[in-house]
Amino acid sequence: LEVSSGDTKTVLTQSVAILRYIAKLNPEAKLYPSDPVAAARVDAVCDLEADAFTGLRVSKYKARFGFGFLDDDANKAALAACHASINAEVIPRHLTNLTKVLEAGGTSWLPGPAGAS
């Protein structure tokens, strides 16, 4: 995403960074908390999502992460086992953690405050 600040143009990358940038453009909309603790809770939820799907992303985009050799025929069984473990164990474990965060917040919002941040 190309953005401007005065005469300077910058390309922003990373989905969550772009979302934070957009949310901070209009603080009155309260899309991202101004309170540092509340903001850290929102950031933690974003990081929990990243943790939950890192293995899946690495296994899908193998070459990007240095695991291109997993596309070799000799590694097909290992890759299949990896996908099975990710889908049956890793992602459900992380979704359980997200559920605990939601329950601990006491509202229907993952970061905890009543209503959107």
Side-chain angles (χ1 to χ4, degrees), residues 7-53:
D7 293 337
T8 305
K9 291 189 180 206
T10 302
V11 175
L12 299 179
T13 61
Q14 301 298 329
S15 299
V16 175
I18 293 168
L19 289 172
R20 287 182 188 121
Y21 169 79
I22 291 169
K24 290 175 183 180
L25 289 176
N26 184 0
E28 294 79 26
K30 298 183 180 179
L31 297 173
Y32 188 78
S34 59
D35 174 66
V37 173
R41 292 182 65 141
V42 170
D43 294 344
V45 169
C46 293
D47 291 341
L48 284 169
E49 183 280 331
D51 290 348
F53 295 102

Side-chain angles (χ1 to χ4, degrees), residues 2-103:
E2 186 175 275
V3 298
S4 297
S5 179
D7 293 337
T8 305
K9 291 189 180 206
T10 302
V11 175
L12 299 179
T13 61
Q14 301 298 329
S15 299
V16 175
I18 293 168
L19 289 172
R20 287 182 188 121
Y21 169 79
I22 291 169
K24 290 175 183 180
L25 289 176
N26 184 0
E28 294 79 26
K30 298 183 180 179
L31 297 173
Y32 188 78
S34 59
D35 174 66
V37 173
R41 292 182 65 141
V42 170
D43 294 344
V45 169
C46 293
D47 291 341
L48 284 169
E49 183 280 331
D51 290 348
F53 295 102
T54 295
L56 183 63
R57 289 180 183 115
V58 169
S59 69
K60 182 173 175 70
Y61 305 106
K62 296 171 282 302
R64 179 189 302 176
F65 292 100
F67 293 94
F69 65 90
L70 289 174
D71 283 328
D72 297 346
D73 287 339
N75 295 315
K76 289 200 184 288
L79 184 59
C82 177
H83 285 151
S85 175
I86 289 168
N87 289 324
E89 301 167 25
V90 176
I91 292 174
R93 181 174 58 245
H94 286 284
L95 292 178
T96 297
N97 291 340
L98 280 169
T99 299
K100 289 177 184 176
V101 170
L102 176 61
E103 290 169 350

